[in-house]
Amino acid sequence: MRKLERIVILTGAGISAESGLGTFRDEGGLWAQHRIEDVATPEAFAHDPARVHQFYNVRRVQAAGAKPNAAHQALARLQAAWPGHVLLVTQNVDGLHEKAGAEVVHMHGELSRALCAACEHRWDSPQEMSVGETCPACDAPAARPDIVWFGEMPYHMEQILDAIQTCDLFAAIGTSGQVYPAAGFVEEARMAGAATVELNLRDSDMTHAFEEHVTGPASEIVPQWVDRLLQGR
Ligand code: OAD
């Protein structure tokens, strides 16, 4: 393996599972309880904004009450030990990486932020958002959760792809590999010649694409993996 200078880490709902936040696609997960087309598309919001707000209001309260676990803490420790070398990208909207002290790129938005559908202004969302709330910048009654819905373009893609194309190691933690473009990052990393490692409780849809696999609960395997990286530095 070439010298480890740049690391990109992608996280998904599995890293927050042991903090008490349900994942999407594990048994009994969020997408078994709700239909994506009812709560996580722009069309759903246009059709029934109250239902969509209710879905995210519940999740916002749950996330606000959740604490980061040993996996979030270990990634923050890795970033602090290796300043400027570790780009942490998350699909999660729960804010637990920040609570652990990490700097993170939110490709699917954040529960704690609101977005104006009219002028794209963003601000800290109230704990409960409601239909017709106005934007503090343009006054349009167009406030929505700052969440990337299905059919919308994830945020910060240029920064993320640039980092992947120049990284030496790409790791994916607790993600099922079912949602693009994040699911395709491992292939991008391999084309760039990076080493690839998947950390997950079980095989994912993208397991075949990774060279190395670490299997187990994130709160156990992530701290051990971070220790190994720091020792081998
Ligand atoms: P999923 O629910 O699709 O996948 C969760 C993954 O975490 C699975 O691969 C599990 O095996 C793994 N997992 C569960 N518990 C774990 C644990 N304790 N330790 C380690 N791994 C564990 O969640 P994501 O892949 O994050 O997007 O989903 C991707 C996107 O789909 C989400 O960001 C969301 C969703 O629809 C939007 O809402 C736009």
Side-chain angles (χ1 to χ4, degrees):
M1 194 173 84
R2 66 195 195 201
K3 190 168 172 345
L4 207 49
E5 291 288 346
R6 283 174 293 254
I7 303 174
V8 176
I9 301 171
L10 171 72
T11 65
I15 197 168
S16 297
E18 291 161 85
S19 293
L21 301 178
T23 65
F24 295 95
R25 297 177 181 81
D26 291 306
E27 207 182 323
L30 274 173
W31 295 153
Q33 301 166 47
H34 304 267
R35 286 172 1 127
I36 288 175
E37 51 272 44
D38 288 340
V39 295
T41 66
E43 294 76 20
F45 191 62
H47 175 69
D48 192 348
R51 180 181 200 163
V52 175
H53 275 310
Q54 169 67 7
F55 176 74
Y56 289 103
N57 285 342
V58 169
R59 298 193 58 215
R60 195 175 293 112
V61 169
Q62 286 170 345
K67 292 192 178 68
N69 63 52
H72 299 100
Q73 280 153 1
L75 296 182
R77 182 159 58 84
L78 178 66
Q79 251 187 354
W82 217 334
H85 291 257
V86 182
L87 181 73
L88 181 58
V89 177
T90 191
Q91 299 166 90
N92 299 344
V93 295
D94 56 32
L96 291 185
H97 283 302
E98 293 93 318
K99 278 192 193 166
E103 239 183 68
V104 61
V105 174
H106 280 281
M107 62 178 292
H108 287 170
E110 297 171 71
L111 279 169
S112 62
R113 302 282 286 167
L115 164 69
C116 175
C119 76
E120 294 190 13
H121 177 68
R122 288 180 166 82
W123 66 100
D124 286 342
S125 73
Q127 187 80 289
E128 268 207 18
M129 292 189 75
S130 46
V131 179
E133 231 164 86
T134 55
C135 166
C138 76
D139 224 28
R144 55 167 277 184
D146 191 8
I147 301 285
V148 175
W149 286 324
F150 285 87
E152 296 182 323
M153 181 56 87
Y155 301 152
H156 312 295
M157 284 307 295
E158 206 176 308
Q159 179 194 359
I160 296 167
L161 287 174
D162 279 354
I164 290 174
Q165 278 153 12
T166 54
C167 77
D168 307 302
L169 172 64
F170 172 77
I173 304 175
T175 178
S176 61
Q178 292 198 27
V179 176
Y180 283 82
F185 290 171
V186 61
E187 304 283 14
E188 293 283 340
R190 277 166 53 131
M191 281 193 287
T196 54
V197 54
E198 177 177 67
L199 298 96
N200 201 307
L201 201 51
R202 59 182 73 86
D203 281 0
S204 75
D205 277 18
M206 291 308 291
T207 291
H208 63 275
F210 290 86
E211 290 161 351
E212 190 190 337
H213 304 92
V214 187
T215 305
S219 70
E220 289 174 23
I221 61 177
V222 176
Q224 289 162 6
W225 175 72
V226 164
D227 287 346
R228 284 201 299 278
L229 278 183
L230 289 174
Q231 277 157 17
R233 191 159 53 127

